[in-house]
Amino acid sequence: MSALRARLSVILLAVCLLFTGQALTAPQRAAAADPGYLMVHFTGDSATGQMLYLAHSTDGMHWNDLNGGAPVLNSKIGTKGVRDPALVRSPDGSKYWIIATDLCIRCGSTYTNGSPRFVVWESTDLVTWSKPWLLNAAGLIPGGKNAWAPEAMFNPETNDYVLYWATNATVNGVFKYRIYYARTKDFRTITTPQIWIDPPGTTPVVDTQMTEVPSGVGNYRYVRVSGDGQNTVEGSNSILGTWTKLGDLSSIGLTGNVVEGPVWMKFRDRNEWALYIDHNSPNGVREYRPILTTNPFSVGSYRLQPSTSYDMGGTPKRHGAIMTLTAAEESRVLARWPNTPAKRLQSYNFQDRYVRHTNLDVRIDPNVSPADDAQFRPRPGLAGSGTVSFESVNMPGYFLRHSGYDFQLAHNDGSSQFAADATFRQVAGLADSTSSSFQSYNYPDRYIRHYAYELRLDPITTATARGDATFRVTS
């Protein structure tokens, strides 16, 4: 009997240890499953660099490029370049905005001759974005020239958003950059801009970014960092109230234009913050680098991280914004921008010709220039399952869509009609089973085909039409 009791005791102990082990590891598993972070940024002073890119991180320190490292948004308005994006979520999570500097260096603009306006996009789901519009900012300031580095935060005291940015203008005989602010509810109209930050004398200031800090950390509700030569850190209990200087980044050896584009990020799983800085490294490469702290109001606690502790991914990460994602947001973002290789659609019966867009029309042409006009990313179909939609590489957000049985490259407006018109079933080629044909999702008796080199949606009834409706999907 005693031997039986001993065996039972051993079994009971093993079961207890098993459940204890499970209890101990459950929080670790939950943490690993927590949603991550999204960064929107530009990459540098080139035509393709001055578009908007996305990166995702599960831990806030190691980043992976989305969309294969290709841009997800570009601007065809204003200067046709965008930099320094801010990413804003409404308090209820029903709307998002991206506000970016309207500037294209080396492609029509200069640092002294920029734009007084911002480029704005709006979304209800973080993945389908409106066409951009221009928001006048510096033009509302007497003598205002450029509008740079927009940021915005919802202000519960006024129940609207505080939009703030840098503009160079003459005030009291001094021409320099200052930080201005205005209020807005929709990023389409703003109140008359007011000076928010104006360092003494001729000292300019650009690239200010602030964040709200939970109660129980320090003596303030908000902290901001400004690119004023010393990269001043300040705290306040009111966005539009009095700010108190807490120190500057010179204490960790960062001064002057070595640092641009500060952006705050709080880690989801602990009371620690990252201050990412657009840092000019000793080898001349400018890219984000994190500073960590457990108290944003204590500059003495800031720790500049060694390169071995973080990974910014494949593309340069320049002045941008970071958002902590919800599980639903993360699911949508990762599904929308997987690393899908770009493809071309080669005509089966005119093998020197490829499907391309030109002035939003769609046709087949030889010797396509620029080559990206014939590059598309096959996406999971916007409608239905087991389907495909074709997104332009050099006009992200624009898809091949039929309308009146004609084809065009059209901006996704998020409607169910657009989704159906831009969705196809990839089937064995009607003229060659080793190639592909594309059957319309909402007109299943019709297929994509070319006719007189123009793309159409037609019923296919002849051998010629079967050849016209057959394509090779190539790299």
Side-chain angles (χ1 to χ4, degrees):
M1 188 64 121
S2 59
L4 177 61
R5 287 197 192 97
R7 290 193 191 98
L8 290 174
S9 298
V10 170
I11 292 171
L12 180 61
L13 177 61
V15 170
C16 290
L17 288 173
L18 173 64
F19 280 101
T20 302
Q22 289 177 336
L24 288 172
T25 58
Q28 296 172 351
R29 290 180 185 141
D34 280 345
Y37 310 86
L38 180 68
M39 179 187 292
V40 57
H41 63 95
F42 79 108
T43 65
D45 294 350
S46 68
T48 55
Q50 292 165 109
M51 300 178 183
L52 299 187
Y53 297 73
L54 292 178
H56 174 264
S57 175
T58 58
D59 64 1
M61 294 289 284
H62 299 81
W63 296 88
N64 294 304
D65 299 330
L66 298 184
N67 201 37
V72 300
L73 288 173
N74 63 1
S75 174
K76 299 297 182 182
I77 60 176
T79 68
K80 298 180 173 60
V82 283
R83 306 162 63 101
D84 319 325
L87 178 57
V88 181
R89 178 201 284 127
S90 65
D92 64 0
S94 65
K95 280 192 177 181
Y96 308 83
W97 293 270
I98 291 176
I99 311 105
T101 301
D102 176 32
L103 185 64
C104 197
I105 298 299
R106 302 190 186 127
C107 43
S109 306
T110 67
Y111 287 115
T112 56
N113 181 27
S115 168
R117 300 169 296 187
F118 297 125
V119 180
V120 185
W121 288 266
E122 183 179 271
S123 175
T124 59
D125 59 9
L126 200 57
V127 296
T128 302
W129 291 91
S130 68
K131 290 184 177 180
W133 67 83
L134 292 171
L135 175 63
N136 189 20
L140 302 179
I141 298 169
K145 301 297 184 183
N146 299 329
W148 283 1
E151 299 283 351
M153 177 178 283
F154 183 79
N155 187 2
E157 295 179 22
T158 55
N159 198 38
D160 56 12
Y161 299 89
V162 174
L163 173 68
Y164 56 101
W165 70 92
T167 283
N168 50 346
T170 299
V171 177
N172 297 327
V174 177
F175 180 74
K176 66 175 185 177
Y177 278 96
R178 299 169 177 85
I179 302 298
Y180 290 78
Y181 81 88
R183 292 165 50 194
T184 182
K185 289 185 177 294
D186 56 9
F187 299 96
R188 293 183 182 272
T189 60
I190 61 175
T191 60
T192 302
Q194 306 293 323
I195 293 176
W196 195 39
I197 304 176
D198 185 5
T202 59
T203 300
V205 57
V206 293
D207 293 355
T208 292
Q209 216 258 4
M210 68 174 161
T211 192
E212 184 175 3
V213 179
S215 60
V217 179
N219 298 319
Y220 302 99
R221 183 176 181 179
Y222 302 99
V223 62
R224 72 185 183 192
V225 179
S226 299
D228 58 0
Q230 296 300 312
N231 305 295
T232 297
V233 181
E234 298 170 287
S236 179
N237 286 308
S238 173
I239 293 175
L240 300 180
T242 301
W243 288 79
T244 301
K245 181 174 179 178
L246 306 173
D248 56 59
L249 299 188
S250 65
S251 61
I252 55 175
L254 300 176
T255 59
N257 62 4
V258 169
V259 176
E260 294 181 2
V263 58
W264 286 101
M265 184 205 83
K266 185 186 182 301
F267 291 98
R268 181 191 298 278
D269 58 344
R270 59 190 184 274
N271 286 323
E272 189 171 32
W273 285 257
L275 173 62
Y276 274 90
I277 53 170
D278 194 344
H279 178 257
N280 193 16
S281 65
N283 60 4
V285 176
R286 183 175 284 282
E287 185 177 46
Y288 266 134
R289 181 178 182 181
I291 297 169
L292 299 188
T293 178
T294 54
N295 183 355
F297 304 113
S298 174
V299 180
S301 70
Y302 289 16
R303 309 181 311 280
L304 186 62
Q305 297 302 292
S307 59
T308 54
S309 69
Y310 64 92
D311 181 356
M312 298 310 300
T315 61
K317 306 296 184 291
R318 298 288 309 276
H319 191 162
I322 298 174
M323 176 179 287
T324 302
L325 296 169
T326 66
E329 289 169 343
E330 182 176 65
S331 177
R332 294 195 300 266
V333 166
L334 296 182
R336 173 65 179 86
W337 287 293
N339 293 332
T340 304
K343 298 292 184 179
R344 296 187 297 169
L345 299 179
Q346 180 188 25
S347 170
Y348 170 76
N349 51 1
F350 289 87
Q351 294 185 14
D352 63 332
R353 292 176 179 263
Y354 294 82
V355 174
R356 60 89 55 91
H357 68 83
T358 175
N359 297 321
L360 303 183
D361 190 24
V362 186
R363 48 181 292 115
I364 60 169
D365 277 343
N367 306 315
V368 177
S369 180
D372 280 353
D373 286 357
Q375 297 271 355
F376 300 89
R377 294 188 192 279
R379 300 298 195 189
L382 298 178
S385 60
T387 58
V388 64
S389 297
F390 294 98
E391 182 179 16
S392 168
V393 163
N394 57 356
M395 293 190 66
Y398 283 71
F399 290 77
L400 295 184
R401 183 219 184 148
H402 67 79
S403 177
Y405 306 134
D406 185 27
F407 269 87
Q408 57 190 237
L409 189 72
H411 176 261
N412 181 9
D413 61 10
S415 68
S416 58
Q417 184 65 61
F418 183 98
D421 291 348
T423 298
F424 307 91
R425 297 191 187 281
Q426 184 173 358
V427 299
L430 299 180
D432 172 20
S433 62
T434 65
S435 299
S436 296
S437 292
F438 298 94
Q439 179 187 32
S440 169
Y441 172 78
N442 52 355
Y443 291 89
D445 63 329
R446 292 173 180 261
Y447 293 77
I448 299 176
R449 63 89 56 98
H450 64 81
Y451 183 82
Y453 305 137
E454 297 285 339
L455 234 60
R456 294 183 44 79
L457 193 72
D458 280 346
I460 304 301
T461 59
T462 67
T464 297
R466 286 192 288 274
D468 293 347
T470 300
F471 301 88
R472 291 192 174 97
V473 181
T474 68
S475 299

